[in-house]
Amino acid sequence: MPDRGYVFIGKMSGHDQLVHCLCELTRLLWQLLLPLVFLCVLLIAVLVLLVLAVRFWLQSHRNARRARDGRLTVAFFHPYCNAGGGGERVLWCAIRALQNRYADINFVVYTGDVGVTGQQILDGARRRFNIMLPRPVQFVYLRHRPLVEPGLFPHFTLLGQSVGSIFLGWEALMEFVPDLYIDSMGYAFTLPLFRYLGGCSVGSYVHYPTISTDMMSVVRERNPRFNNPDFISNSLFLSAFKVVYYCMFALLYGMVGSCSDLIMVNSSWTLNHILSLWHAPNRTSVVYPPCDVSAFLDIPLEEDGDRKCHSIISIGQFRPEKDHRLQIRAFKKVLDRRRDSAGGREALKLVLIGGCRNKEDEDRVLMLRGLCQELGVADRVEFKLNISFEELKREMAEATIGLHTMSNEHFGIGIVECMAAGKIILAHQSGGPKLDIVVPFEGGQTGFLADDEDSYTEMIERILALPSTSRLQIRRNARQSVARFSDQEFEACFLAAMEPLMGTLEQ
């Protein structure tokens, strides 16, 4: 006799069979739900226990070190502390200020400069920035700095470097667990590591947001830039994909940045971006970077109408965003236009001064030299690499114009130094230069702004055509206006911002 159940199913309509299968599938999934929930809870519990175990282990190491030394420790994460740029000047001035205020606290610098000794790094700070620390600091050397090199990530560079910084931060945390951790170079993705695993208080000094609305606008409007190559800007699909990628990355960046107990930014431009991304206005303040204003005040302010050769000086690391190519092309146009004027080509020269962090920067200098050869201006362009502070002052004293071409520069220490030295500054009409630096002082003009090759050319010609007395008045205004960016002002603002956080350590 046939099985009635099977006969019944066989006589079902197609619709009934589908409903029956869905019911059976739902019943199966429901039966699996409880084990899946249990497994998820178990995995989360294991992960939490693992994190707590690592945190306990790291804190036990810190407590043992604290009991042994009898002192608290403040650590700065600055993998390129020997690079010689504006960010490094902030680092050494910050440490000097804290050492002068807190005599019973140790200081550590996480660095990736494994090829040099600590004394050589400190000697470099003295030679380049005229900064000497009251007492030594401890250097913790990180071997995996290449993980944050942009060359390692030809695509998805922001994400790649950020993930690389997590591994580099982990190496730093394994080497030394401080009481207070300060990211002074913009590696925000290291902040959660030190706060939640290391149990440290964390602070950050932001020179430049890793992602910004300006960067998104460049991609959204499909404008070619050094970080938005032609093959992306020319493609609607790739541009749309990159906008989504940037938006997701901005969300992650905001999450990790908000972990910081204290946030310091270097300009009004950076402040606006960090507030929109990190959403922590009560913990965020502007602390202008220290500029060695006083060191340039002994350069005399005199009329320069009798000069036979005017020097245009550019100060900045040889990085792509500094746009030295724009400087060279604009300079070429100026030379072409002045060919028939008095003195001709011999009456003008361009001096490019900056530091090279690595071989990539050195290769960039070679390409810039090649561009000078190609444009026929190599005889009027000089490159000064990694020069001493004394040589920088000599070049400053001989210059007429200080040139700066980076778009959306977060601040621009080199701009302030040129103004303190009494140079006519010509900077990009964006970012910190526009909002904070090249602004009127007591109603007087302090410099000039431009935004493309033609406008830079026009402004250089305009500056050179001014009567020497007019140039002298602008130079005086500029020098008087930059007192607010001095080392003393930085130390006062930095210590005031740090005081609440340092107070929690001393309790």
Side-chain angles (χ1 to χ4, degrees):
M1 185 173 180
D3 189 312
R4 294 183 181 275
Y6 286 105
V7 172
F8 176 74
I9 293 175
K11 292 180 180 180
M12 283 185 180
S13 65
H15 177 268
D16 292 337
Q17 290 184 12
L18 178 60
V19 171
H20 179 76
C21 290
L22 288 176
C23 291
E24 291 296 323
L25 180 60
T26 303
R27 187 181 297 111
L28 177 61
L29 292 176
W30 182 255
Q31 291 174 348
L32 292 175
L33 179 62
L34 187 60
L36 286 174
V37 170
F38 177 77
L39 181 60
C40 289
V41 171
L42 180 63
L43 290 176
I44 292 174
V46 170
L47 180 61
V48 170
L49 289 174
L50 181 61
V51 169
L52 291 176
V54 172
R55 179 184 171 98
F56 176 79
W57 178 68
L58 290 172
Q59 288 186 337
S60 65
H61 275 260
R62 182 183 63 193
N63 294 336
R65 184 261 308 160
R66 188 189 299 175
R68 182 179 65 253
D69 298 340
R71 290 185 173 187
L72 299 171
T73 301
V74 176
F76 287 81
F77 189 78
H78 209 105
Y80 294 90
C81 71
N82 199 41
E88 287 66 60
R89 192 170 209 288
V90 172
L91 170 70
W92 301 122
C93 284
I95 293 177
R96 181 177 63 185
L98 290 173
Q99 285 187 335
N100 286 329
R101 172 67 67 86
Y102 303 98
D104 57 345
I105 290 181
N106 290 329
F107 293 89
V108 167
V109 177
Y110 297 109
T111 177
D113 297 298
V114 295
V116 293
T117 65
Q119 188 57 50
Q120 288 173 325
I121 293 174
L122 295 177
D123 289 342
R126 177 187 54 78
R127 185 178 66 255
R128 294 169 181 166
F129 306 123
N130 198 29
I131 295 175
M132 294 184 64
L133 299 183
R135 57 183 186 273
V137 298
Q138 178 183 347
F139 290 92
V140 174
Y141 290 90
L142 308 177
R143 295 169 297 151
H144 296 95
R145 191 177 70 179
L147 291 175
V148 297
E149 294 280 355
L152 188 63
F153 309 100
H155 306 292
F156 300 98
T157 307
L158 294 181
L159 181 61
Q161 286 184 283
S162 298
V163 172
S165 72
I166 295 175
F167 286 98
L168 192 63
W170 175 256
E171 179 187 358
L173 191 57
M174 291 297 101
E175 292 289 335
F176 190 93
V177 186
D179 299 285
L180 170 58
Y181 169 82
I182 300 176
D183 166 39
S184 54
M185 205 173 172
Y187 293 108
F189 283 77
T190 63
L191 295 172
L193 282 178
F194 282 83
R195 177 168 184 173
Y196 298 118
L197 288 182
C200 311
S201 298
V202 296
S204 54
Y205 188 96
V206 184
H207 299 273
Y208 195 87
T210 305
I211 185 78
S212 68
T213 53
D214 292 329
M215 294 171 63
M216 296 186 210
S217 297
V218 165
V219 179
R220 190 178 293 110
E221 296 168 7
R222 300 173 64 185
N223 293 327
R225 290 288 190 277
F226 75 92
N227 61 342
N228 192 45
D230 291 340
F231 77 91
I232 292 180
S233 62
N234 292 333
S235 169
L236 180 61
F237 172 77
L238 291 178
S239 294
F241 179 81
K242 190 168 184 178
V243 168
V244 174
Y245 159 58
Y246 270 9
C247 289
M248 295 178 64
F249 182 84
L251 180 63
L252 288 175
Y253 182 62
M255 292 173 61
V256 297
S258 63
C259 296
S260 187
D261 298 306
L262 170 67
I263 305 164
M264 293 171 282
V265 298
N266 68 341
S267 69
S268 302
W269 181 86
T270 307
L271 174 68
N272 295 334
H273 287 288
I274 290 299
L275 288 179
S276 66
L277 291 166
W278 291 13
H279 306 291
N282 295 333
R283 288 173 277 149
T284 307
S285 59
V286 177
V287 179
Y288 290 125
C291 306
D292 197 3
V293 173
S294 60
F296 298 97
L297 296 181
D298 57 352
I299 296 178
L301 282 179
E302 301 171 346
E303 291 191 19
D304 54 7
D306 58 347
R307 285 190 178 180
K308 295 182 179 180
C309 178
H310 288 284
S311 172
I312 302 173
I313 188 173
S314 167
I315 302 174
Q317 288 182 322
F318 288 98
R319 305 201 307 260
E321 61 269 26
K322 296 298 184 181
D323 207 352
H324 290 91
R325 296 174 62 88
L326 171 59
Q327 298 176 7
I328 295 171
R329 291 195 299 266
F331 180 68
K332 160 68 173 174
K333 287 188 175 182
V334 174
L335 288 182
D336 290 344
R337 294 185 183 185
R338 293 172 58 87
R339 184 175 298 145
D340 299 327
S341 63
R345 291 169 56 91
E346 304 304 317
L348 204 61
K349 69 176 180 178
L350 174 64
V351 182
L352 304 179
I353 299 176
C356 288
R357 302 165 298 173
N358 47 40
K359 188 177 184 303
E360 186 177 355
D361 288 352
E362 294 171 357
D363 292 341
R364 190 169 295 110
V365 171
L366 292 177
M367 288 188 287
L368 292 173
R369 291 182 185 272
L371 177 62
C372 292
Q373 293 284 352
E374 178 185 336
L375 297 179
V377 297
D379 61 320
R380 306 308 304 159
V381 180
E382 299 179 12
F383 288 83
K384 303 281 186 176
L385 310 181
N386 301 320
I387 63 175
S388 67
F389 184 77
E390 290 73 18
E391 187 175 357
L392 172 64
K393 284 190 66 174
R394 287 197 297 270
E395 293 292 341
M396 285 271 205
E398 296 175 2
T400 300
I401 299 174
L403 185 61
H404 194 274
T405 50
M406 178 177 171
S407 174
N408 287 320
E409 169 72 272
H410 39 94
F411 183 73
I413 290 181
I415 297 173
V416 174
E417 290 176 343
C418 284
M419 294 170 71
K423 307 299 110 179
I424 299 285
I425 194 66
L426 174 55
H428 199 279
Q429 192 169 350
S430 63
K434 178 182 179 181
L435 296 177
D436 295 313
I437 304 176
V438 190
V439 296
F441 175 74
E442 296 182 353
Q445 185 177 4
T446 59
F448 296 83
L449 299 170
D451 56 12
D452 59 20
E453 187 176 322
D454 290 333
S455 61
Y456 270 99
T457 303
E458 295 292 337
M459 285 299 175
I460 291 174
E461 289 191 309
R462 178 179 171 184
I463 294 169
L464 295 174
L466 285 173
S468 59
T469 53
S470 299
R471 283 201 296 265
L472 180 60
Q473 185 57 52
I474 295 174
R475 292 160 58 197
R476 284 173 176 162
N477 294 339
R479 172 172 282 186
Q480 293 173 14
S481 73
V482 297
R484 57 206 166 101
F485 303 127
S486 66
D487 286 2
Q488 294 75 21
E489 286 292 323
F490 167 80
E491 290 186 4
C493 294
F494 179 78
L495 289 173
M498 288 287 296
E499 188 171 1
L501 202 55
M502 298 298 292
T504 62
L505 296 181
E506 297 174 334
Q507 292 176 357

